[in-house]
Every structure is written in C-alpha cells, then in structure tokens.
C-alpha cells in the first residue's frame, strides 16, 4: 500500500476536519495524549499547522485518510516532523510508508536540507521500529527528557536520516565509541 501526502489547508477548507481529527483521537505516545477543541483551534490560529516554519499534510493510502504529518522548523537546516496515525490504522505497517513519503517530500522539495530528524518516546517501540525500517539511524537517547502527564518522564530517542543516505539507499552508522585512547 502506498501512502500519499495530501496538502492540508488548516485555516481554510480543512480546518473542521483537522480539529475533528485532533480532538477525536488519542495519541498515547505524544506529550499530550488528548487535545481539547479549544486547544486544537488555538493551535490552528497560532499557525502551528502552517506558517513559515510549519507545513502539514493528510496521510492517505489507497482507501482512506489514515492520519496526518506536520513538518516543523522548516526555516532551520534540520527540520523535524510530528506524525499522527488514526487509531484504527495503527499496527498495520502504514507508518513506514508514511515516514518514507515524508522523507521523500522533504529531500525533494527542500534542497538546502542535508538531514531530517525525529524523536519519539523510549516506550514507543512501534515508532522506533518504523524509523529503522524506513532507513533512519538512532542518533540519541536523552534520559528522562520526555514529559508524561501525571507520570515520571521517559527517555526521548532521536533518529535522523542524511540526504546522502536517502539518495544512495544506505545508512551511515553513528560512531558511538567515545574512548579515543586518551588518559582519563
């Protein structure tokens, strides 16, 4: 199944559908698991879904709208993303296609971007597998960096993909060895 990006118009024709999606779904691995209608509307009004630093897309497969993705920090040479699949479509392997589609879009439309990155919680095993299956590399493990409402913070795990790896279909491993042979 192919996942396609469909441009999302958050302040125009897609506003109602965006607010409905955000408020009717639960996002168990995001900082905020649920979003109130007022917060969703405020985010749209504040430009969190489209402005100079953000661009958003619906995620569609051959049969349905399966979720959405928001690109963030577009004025930075290393953008990030926020991927949200509808609950009914989680666990079906669609996230790999979604991440590949987003990665292709970033590298095809933003020529100055040399790397693309994303983060997830340490306990979001499906997304961590998605990153690896889509050709991304684990680059960081930030202990107790992801706040969890009403619970102890968990680690935030960072992944990235280099343009040259995307172009060649390879991965460049991270040099994890900090022992450079020096004393003490």
């Amino acid at each position: 199944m192919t996942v396609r990006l469909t441009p999302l118009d958050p302040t125009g024709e897609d506003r109602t559908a965006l607010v409905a999606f955000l408020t009717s779904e639960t996002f168990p691995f995001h900082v905020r698991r649920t979003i109130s209608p007022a917060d969703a509307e405020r985010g749209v009004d504040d430009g969190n879904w489209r402005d100079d630093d953000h661009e958003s897309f619906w995620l569609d497969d051959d049969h349905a709208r399966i979720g959405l993705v928001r690109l963030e920090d577009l004025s930075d040479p290393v953008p990030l993303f926020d991927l949200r699949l509808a609950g009914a479509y989680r666990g079906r392997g669609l996230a790999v296609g979604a991440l590949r589609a987003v990665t292709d879009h970033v590298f095809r439309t933003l020529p100055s971007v040399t790397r693309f990155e994303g983060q997830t919680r340490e306990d979001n095993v499906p997304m961590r597998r998605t990153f690896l299956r889509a050709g991304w590399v684990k680059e960081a493990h930030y202990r107790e960096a992801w706040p969890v409402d009403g619970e102890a913070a968990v680690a935030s795990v960072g992944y990235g993909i280099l343009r040259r790896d995307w172009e060649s279909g390879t991965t460049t491993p991270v040099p994890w060895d900090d022992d450079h042979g020096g004393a003490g």
Side-chain angles (χ1 to χ4, degrees):
M1 226 178 286
T2 301
V3 176
R4 293 177 316 282
L5 304 181
T6 303
L8 190 155
D9 181 5
T11 59
E13 65 183 34
D14 292 320
R15 180 185 179 97
T16 301
L18 174 60
V19 170
F21 178 81
L22 293 172
T23 59
S24 66
E25 295 286 339
T26 300
F27 304 103
F29 294 108
H30 281 73
V31 172
R32 294 174 54 206
R33 293 178 183 176
T34 60
I35 301 171
S36 71
D39 286 343
E41 290 178 3
R42 188 175 350 349
V44 170
D45 293 339
D46 289 347
N48 294 342
W49 294 92
R50 186 173 67 192
D51 63 10
D52 290 343
D53 245 7
H54 301 91
E55 184 178 17
S56 300
F57 299 90
W58 293 114
L59 298 170
D60 296 319
D61 75 0
D62 296 334
H63 307 288
R65 177 145 291 157
I66 63 170
L68 61 82
V69 65
R70 174 178 55 185
L71 298 176
E72 303 171 351
D73 297 337
L74 292 174
S75 61
D76 189 271
V78 183
L80 299 159
F81 71 93
D82 175 15
L83 177 69
R84 295 173 189 258
L85 290 183
Y89 297 99
R90 294 179 198 144
R92 297 184 182 190
L94 296 168
V96 174
L99 183 53
R100 286 182 177 149
V102 173
T103 304
D104 290 348
H105 172 78
V106 165
F107 287 132
R108 286 188 176 128
T109 63
L110 301 170
S112 65
V113 170
T114 59
R115 64 184 303 276
F116 186 29
E117 65 182 46
Q119 305 246 346
T120 193
R121 290 168 38 155
E122 68 181 323
D123 56 346
N124 190 350
V125 175
M127 189 64 202
R128 293 179 67 186
R129 287 184 182 139
T130 294
F131 277 119
L132 298 176
R133 288 179 182 142
W136 290 52
V137 175
K138 180 179 172 182
E139 297 179 336
H141 199 101
Y142 301 105
R143 298 171 296 155
E144 298 181 12
W146 194 291
V148 179
D149 197 24
E151 299 177 30
V154 297
S156 179
V157 186
Y159 293 82
I161 187 167
L162 302 175
R163 175 183 290 278
R164 63 186 160 100
D165 287 354
W166 171 78
E167 291 171 339
S168 67
T170 62
T171 56
T172 303
V174 174
W176 290 107
D177 184 7
D178 286 340
D179 182 9
H180 302 288

